[in-house]
Amino acid sequence: MALNLDSPVGELLDTPATRAVLDRLMPGFSTSPRLAPAIAMRLSLRTVAKHSGGLIDAALLERTGAAFAEAQDAGAANALGSSAAIDAGSAARSPARPAPAPFPADEPRLRGYYAPLLLEGDVSRVPIDGAFPRELEGTLYRIGPNPQFAPRGPYHWFAGDGMVHAFRVADGRVSYRNRWVRTPKWRLEHEAGEGLSGAFGNPLWSDPRIVALDSTVANTNVITHRGRLLALEEAHPPFALDADTLEPLGEDTFGGRLAGPFTAHPKLDPTTGETIAFGYSTRGRFSPWAQVSTIGADGAVRRTLDVELPFASMVHDFAVTEHWIVLPVFPLTGSMDRTMAGGPPFAWEPELGTRIALIPRRGDAPRIAWIEAPPCYVFHPMNHFEDEDGTIVVDVMRYDVAPLFPRPDGRPASEAPSPASLHRWRIDPRAGSLRETRLDDRAGEFPRFDERRCTRSYRHGWIVSGDEAFVRRGEDATEGLIGYDLMRGTSQRWIPQRGDRCGEPVFVPRSADAPEGDGWLLATVWRRAENRSDLAVFEAQDLAAGPIGLATLSHRVPAGFHGNWAAR
């Protein structure tokens, strides 16, 4: 939405200070000065303030926000930040408001297994087929995209509102609760009674109030950290929830030290108790900068390190070993210019190749080494460690071509789907070289392992795998599980009935001091014929024997991303 420079908003934003900040956030911005107000509205006030270097004071931001809210909708000033005000105003919702638009019928990621679940509820005692071990006590939290309303413009699976599914297991019984993550975006759209956002907050499709709000969708991972339940995506700080009720507690910025993008995949080093995290696009949307952080066992941020990247990229996950942080930059690029021209926000550009940063874990100003590799994409590593000779070993689910994203001109990135399969990278930090070995040619995704071995050598791992795993959209796609013994070079597999699909497996050790891999595997299973889901529990070392217990829900748990176990 372009605003006239003569409007109150235009006068506030059309200043040398604002232009300087916006030019830092989006190089080349100054070549189109008449777009200053429009583009500023498409950046959050928080982002502009963070990178203003003191050029823009709080009073200016407050005046800008107030003028913007008045210009857009006199009754929507709360959209600029106060979720409590949204709740307070819900009673004033007009009874004459039309019903929200239906979800598009031609979008595969909004149908079948992927269709959003438009209800929240509690089940105090889920029926069980077989048995859940009485020693298994705790909660499995799972999360995934579950849009509250039909999106504006093209939909992307990664952009839906987060919904948490909590399975509590105790004394052989299972209870269940699900809730949307009530982020500021969710609250604003809930009050409006309709979807207001384009995918990834695309400013060409999103209501300006959504862009100004700059809210997380909190849909990618859910973890416990020092007793807190955190819903994560990768463009915003963590969003805290009550671990029992799943009610919102708000953003968690670790005391204000980590107020920008925060990975959905932080790594906990069980030896040191440290949590290693990173964020990308940390100097504005699609900026080629990342920040790597170390959080101590006491929850205090011990180190932050800014890293300039060779180009703006979607950096979904990374690897950590005893001495190294491995940050891969794949040619899945982000571009504001492309987005504002109507192109894809993220696109596959293999000609740029892959660059991998090797960052020492210690030191305030470490020397960062870069390694070049052929174009490929990795959403998720399994585990990562160092051999005795110092070689860095990273096991990854590797794609030849990034799935789910087009070329910059909108053409498909490949003629046929390019599934991921398990590969091992051996990186020599002294020679600056990478050697790759395929460990399995079967398609798969969502790798997990016994996370007590994170950053250390390991033996056992598990993935989701099937005849059309992850990238194919056929109605009869079937996805089961594979378990690996990497020491012996063997595997075992469990496949459900045709058309059924497993979610990410989560390993739970039998006890805190049990040997690696001794325990259970938990995974949701969508039953296509009945359009509902089970929670399945397996003996982790006897996967091929099938589930020893099924908690049978009467509804579907939609296709999601990640989850974790919290012991009681």
Side-chain angles (χ1 to χ4, degrees):
M1 178 178 209
L3 300 178
N4 191 303
L5 281 174
D6 295 329
S7 71
V9 177
E11 293 173 0
L12 287 167
L13 294 174
D14 186 27
T15 67
T18 306
R19 292 184 187 283
V21 175
L22 293 173
D23 206 40
R24 289 170 57 192
L25 294 175
M26 293 177 293
F29 163 79
S30 59
T31 61
S32 301
R34 294 289 297 180
L35 294 178
I39 295 180
M41 288 301 91
R42 295 181 172 110
L43 293 170
S44 73
L45 300 179
R46 176 171 58 190
T47 298
V48 174
K50 178 179 177 182
H51 297 287
S52 70
L55 293 174
I56 301 177
D57 61 22
L60 174 60
L61 290 178
E62 290 176 5
R63 289 161 55 210
T64 301
F68 175 56
E70 181 178 359
Q72 298 303 316
D73 183 349
N78 56 14
L80 292 175
S82 174
S83 58
I86 293 173
D87 283 341
S90 62
R93 186 181 303 169
S94 170
R97 177 170 293 161
F103 287 90
D106 59 350
E107 172 49 63
R109 301 285 175 178
L110 291 172
R111 299 200 315 257
Y113 182 36
Y114 298 89
L117 180 68
L118 301 181
L119 62 85
E120 298 175 317
D122 298 337
V123 182
S124 60
R125 186 168 295 191
V126 181
I128 291 177
D129 182 3
F132 272 65
R134 289 191 172 272
E135 305 93 327
L136 184 62
E137 291 198 7
T139 303
L140 175 69
Y141 297 100
R142 284 195 49 75
I143 199 167
N146 195 89
Q148 180 182 196
F149 296 108
R152 291 187 175 186
Y155 177 69
H156 197 286
W157 188 33
F158 293 0
D161 300 296
M163 176 177 276
V164 176
H165 302 263
F167 296 87
R168 292 185 169 84
V169 183
D171 298 323
R173 297 191 295 269
V174 177
S175 63
Y176 168 85
R177 170 172 290 162
N178 75 306
R179 295 289 188 274
W180 267 294
V181 182
R182 283 161 163 72
T183 64
K185 171 191 177 293
W186 186 94
R187 290 180 181 274
L188 179 59
E189 292 185 325
H190 187 72
E191 169 63 18
E194 62 175 329
L196 301 173
S197 179
F200 304 113
N202 188 325
L204 290 182
W205 294 99
S206 298
D207 186 295
R209 292 171 294 171
I210 285 286
V211 181
L213 197 58
D214 190 25
S215 168
T216 179
V217 291
N219 67 6
T220 310
N221 200 0
V222 58
I223 67 171
T224 54
H225 185 268
R226 291 180 51 81
R228 298 169 298 173
L229 185 65
L230 303 178
L232 309 174
E233 41 123 290
E234 56 195 52
H236 298 88
F239 195 85
L241 305 172
D242 184 281
D244 293 323
T245 66
L246 305 183
E247 289 299 307
L249 300 177
E251 280 190 349
D252 189 327
T253 61
F254 293 88
R257 292 290 306 278
L258 300 177
F262 188 94
T263 179
H265 295 287
K267 311 301 181 188
L268 173 63
D269 185 334
T271 302
T272 66
E274 294 174 319
T275 297
I276 315 301
F278 78 98
Y280 67 91
S281 293
T282 52
R283 297 193 180 183
R285 187 174 295 184
F286 304 129
S287 62
W289 284 89
Q291 185 179 82
V292 177
S293 305
T294 300
I295 303 165
D298 59 357
V301 177
R302 299 300 183 194
R303 185 181 82 154
T304 60
L305 178 68
D306 292 320
V307 181
E308 185 172 10
L309 309 181
F311 47 84
S313 170
M314 177 182 283
V315 187
H316 181 67
D317 206 342
F318 71 136
V320 178
T321 68
E322 183 179 359
H323 299 102
W324 296 96
I325 298 168
V326 181
L327 188 68
V329 181
F330 302 107
L332 181 56
T333 64
S335 168
M336 179 62 78
D337 288 342
R338 187 170 62 217
T339 300
M340 298 304 292
F346 292 99
W348 179 243
E349 297 190 74
E351 59 274 15
L352 296 176
T354 296
R355 302 286 299 280
I356 300 173
L358 302 183
I359 307 167
R361 278 184 63 176
R362 310 299 173 195
D364 293 331
R367 180 180 177 274
I368 300 173
W370 288 92
I371 294 176
E372 296 187 2
C376 64
Y377 197 78
V378 172
F379 279 115
H380 306 114
M382 184 175 280
N383 195 16
H384 17 84
F385 59 95
E386 295 167 34
D387 273 349
E388 293 180 358
D389 64 359
T391 299
I392 300 169
V393 179
V394 186
D395 292 340
V396 298
M397 302 303 299
R398 180 195 183 279
Y399 296 87
D400 290 334
V401 176
L404 306 175
F405 293 93
R407 295 279 283 167
D409 60 5
R411 290 180 296 121
S414 61
E415 294 182 0
S418 170
S421 57
L422 184 60
H423 288 64
R424 172 161 287 186
W425 287 349
R426 297 184 63 84
I427 301 171
D428 185 340
R430 296 171 296 276
S433 62
L434 181 151
R435 181 162 56 90
E436 179 180 86
T437 304
R438 185 192 293 266
L439 299 182
D440 192 355
D441 59 3
R442 290 171 290 187
E445 248 297 352
F446 299 113
R448 297 300 294 261
F449 66 106
D450 184 339
E451 300 202 18
R452 296 174 300 169
R453 300 297 304 172
C454 186
T455 75
R456 301 299 189 267
S457 62
Y458 73 120
R459 177 175 179 175
H460 299 287
W462 298 268
I463 66 169
V464 175
S465 180
D467 58 357
E468 294 182 321
F470 190 65
V471 286
R472 298 183 188 271
R473 298 178 176 178
E475 291 299 320
D476 289 326
T478 304
E479 292 173 347
L481 302 172
I482 293 178
Y484 295 100
D485 185 327
L486 298 169
M487 182 179 296
R488 293 182 176 177
T490 60
S491 66
Q492 53 179 311
R493 188 177 193 180
W494 178 76
I495 297 293
Q497 296 181 17
R498 184 162 181 80
D500 293 355
R501 304 178 73 169
C502 284
E504 177 192 56
V506 175
F507 174 78
V508 181
R510 200 173 305 275
S511 64
D513 57 355
E516 181 197 349
D518 179 18
W520 304 281
L521 210 62
L522 294 170
T524 56
V525 184
W526 176 57
R527 306 299 189 180
R528 181 186 172 218
E530 302 166 79
N531 194 27
R532 62 165 197 85
S533 295
D534 294 332
L535 174 64
V537 57
F538 303 80
E539 285 286 348
Q541 293 305 305
D542 196 12
L543 180 64
I548 60 174
L550 296 169
T552 60
L553 292 173
S554 59
H555 67 272
R556 174 176 46 85
V557 175
F561 294 138
H562 302 289
N564 287 284
W565 175 259
R568 188 171 176 178

